[in-house]
Amino acid sequence: STIGPGAATPSFVPRAPGRFASSPSFTTSASLFLYALGRDDVARILRPLGKTHRTHQSPYVASFTQTVIAAIIVIILYLTGISAYDTFVLIGLMGTLSILVVQVLASVSVVGYFSKNHTEERHWFTTITAPIVSAIAMAGVIGLLLMNQADAVGGTAAASWLFPLIPWIVGALFILALIWGAYLRNIAPETYKKLGRMVLDESL
């Protein structure tokens, strides 16, 4: 077909390179999140995820677990009528939306943290203004993504049964994470204090 003014361009042409480039980052992030949960000893069943390879020091258990989970999801979606490419696009949308939510929370947490800790390092711009602006901006991006998510995925992915459920799935995971965090804070406060903290060996 002729490419020119008014001619339709396949949606996958300009978008596929960016999606392919972002997929390794999603895979790596998921593996590291699983590794952190195992390392911080959030639950006994998750402890093996915190193991690293003896030679390469890589989080191989978490990486393998993430691969298995991804394979199961792909198989289930394929058996329910969603193609491999549409699965790739939809999971990418879900991951992007989830990361944006995390970025909003991270910005808000900066303000909350420095309001109670290290007050001597509190600064009107770096610990108050910038994080607030960042949170508002990211919230706006989330709104734009939700309003234009059909254009973001394009093609047959927007017609799949999974597409309208994505915001609800992300919201449900967010609520479950809050409940889990509240549970650990009240039932296992020592474990809660270790969340997100990397222990450094000063002897090295």
Side-chain angles (χ1 to χ4, degrees), residues 104-167:
V104 171
L105 295 176
S107 298
V108 173
S109 67
V110 171
V111 179
Y113 179 79
F114 282 100
S115 66
K116 299 179 180 179
N117 306 278
H118 302 287
T119 55
E120 71 281 358
E121 298 180 11
R122 189 186 306 163
H123 188 271
W124 70 270
F125 181 76
T126 57
T127 63
I128 300 176
T129 306
I132 291 176
V133 172
S134 175
I136 295 174
M138 284 297 175
V141 173
I142 291 175
L144 289 173
L145 180 59
L146 292 176
M147 290 187 294
N148 299 279
Q149 57 180 346
D151 294 328
V153 296
T156 57
S160 68
W161 61 266
L162 178 61
F163 175 72
L165 297 178
I166 289 178

Side-chain angles (χ1 to χ4, degrees), residues 45-128:
I45 193 175
L46 299 179
R47 286 178 184 175
L49 297 175
K51 293 182 178 180
T52 55
H53 196 277
R54 291 184 178 180
T55 303
H56 306 291
Q57 300 300 308
S58 58
Y60 71 105
V61 177
S63 180
F64 178 75
T65 302
Q66 187 276 331
T67 301
V68 172
I69 293 174
I72 292 174
I73 292 175
V74 169
I75 292 173
I76 291 175
L77 294 181
Y78 180 78
L79 293 177
T80 56
I82 300 179
S83 68
Y85 179 78
D86 287 347
T87 296
F88 177 72
V89 173
L90 293 170
I91 296 299
L93 174 62
M94 189 181 303
T96 300
L97 181 58
S98 300
I99 290 175
L100 289 173
V101 172
V102 171
Q103 290 176 339
V104 171
L105 295 176
S107 298
V108 173
S109 67
V110 171
V111 179
Y113 179 79
F114 282 100
S115 66
K116 299 179 180 179
N117 306 278
H118 302 287
T119 55
E120 71 281 358
E121 298 180 11
R122 189 186 306 163
H123 188 271
W124 70 270
F125 181 76
T126 57
T127 63
I128 300 176

